[in-house]
Amino acid sequence: MQAGNVRYRTLDDIPETVPIFPLSGALLLPGGQLPLNIFELRYLAMIDAALSSKRIIGMIQPRFDQDNQEDGDLCEVGCLGRITSFAETGDGRLLITLQGICRFRVIKEITTRTPFRQCKIAPLRADLDEADDSEVDRSALLRVFRAYLDANSLEADWDGISRAGNETLVNALAMMSPFGAAEKQALLEAADLKTRAETLIAITEIALAKDQDDFEGSLQ
């Protein structure tokens, strides 16, 4: 897996312990790019620490069944990202871009004196290899994507979409999808690219059906 200027080939390239950024509704996938606006002091400290080390942080969602979304329990699976760009805004914030490396499973959260959380992790080795995108039903994915755009009066860059490979297309659509935290986690934890595409199609079809039911109900 290439992220920025670094090629991650084996598990030896991945640190055993990483700083963690819990953020509900945020989805980072291997190869994807996630822009972030960093303004909280503890996460500014986290980015500074990452930049002085291997530039890797772990994006993960808090568990959904709790009120404390900031400091509570974490989902079991997240995605590692490398900081590939950052800029200071002049008002104390940092604008960064993460490029996804691989998914990981949390082994345990470690006790630390840093203001940000850190976890010992088990990276998913398969994500470092090129994904098999041959079984993705591209036509079904584009059909439901077009239906969603039409239902919400949105447009897309179809020329760019036609040039995108299946892996880029599936992961980009999953990351930009407007669905909730549980749906985003399901997309993250999908076993492979084919399953992720099928999950995205199913979630989108459910959303379209619900919108249609709501519209018909408003006419009654």
Side-chain angles (χ1 to χ4, degrees):
M1 173 61 67
Q2 184 84 23
N5 293 329
V6 178
R7 178 78 178 177
Y8 298 90
R9 294 181 173 86
T10 72
L11 295 182
D12 291 337
D13 298 327
I14 307 296
E16 294 182 353
T17 300
V18 296
I20 294 294
F21 191 175
L23 187 59
S24 181
L27 177 60
L28 178 64
L29 292 169
Q33 296 194 8
L34 180 65
L36 292 169
N37 176 21
I38 309 297
F39 55 88
E40 287 190 45
L41 291 179
R42 58 176 154 178
Y43 296 127
L44 290 169
M46 179 187 69
I47 300 304
D48 284 343
L51 288 172
S52 65
S53 181
K54 294 189 176 182
R55 295 194 171 200
I56 293 176
I57 65 173
M59 294 299 301
I60 196 165
Q61 293 198 103
R63 283 181 51 177
F64 321 126
D65 55 348
Q66 58 186 351
D67 294 329
N68 186 353
Q69 291 287 292
E70 191 71 21
D71 299 309
D73 294 336
L74 303 169
C75 288
E76 293 184 0
V77 178
C79 185
L80 296 178
R82 175 178 171 82
I83 301 172
T84 54
S85 70
F86 73 98
E88 297 177 335
T89 62
D91 59 3
R93 295 178 294 122
L94 287 175
L95 302 179
I96 70 168
T97 299
L98 290 180
Q99 184 164 356
I101 301 170
C102 66
R103 291 170 294 170
F104 66 88
R105 187 173 297 278
V106 173
I107 296 177
K108 65 177 181 179
E109 186 166 356
I110 64 173
T111 301
T112 175
R113 293 183 177 180
T114 61
F116 49 88
R117 302 167 72 175
Q118 299 187 49
C119 288
K120 185 176 181 180
I121 62 164
L124 183 60
R125 171 64 182 84
D127 284 350
L128 300 181
D129 298 327
E130 185 174 352
D132 178 11
D133 63 359
S134 61
E135 296 186 0
V136 171
D137 191 342
R138 185 184 180 97
S139 60
L141 181 62
L142 292 179
R143 172 185 52 78
V144 75
F145 179 53
R146 187 183 292 274
Y148 185 87
L149 293 178
D150 291 344
N152 292 275
S153 301
L154 299 173
E155 297 182 355
D157 176 11
W158 289 105
D159 287 339
I161 289 172
S162 66
R163 293 192 299 269
N166 284 346
E167 181 180 9
T168 299
L169 180 65
V170 171
N171 287 344
L173 292 180
M175 287 179 60
M176 66 184 290
S177 65
F179 305 124
E183 290 81 4
K184 292 287 184 75
Q185 193 67 24
L187 291 168
L188 174 67
E189 295 187 16
D192 50 38
L193 196 66
K194 177 178 180 289
T195 305
R196 182 171 298 132
E198 292 171 345
T199 302
L200 181 57
I201 290 169
I203 292 171
T204 306
E205 288 177 339
I206 291 171
L208 287 169
K210 183 179 183 302
D211 289 345
Q212 181 64 27
D213 290 343
D214 291 344
F215 176 73
E216 292 176 354
S218 68
L219 297 179
Q220 296 177 358

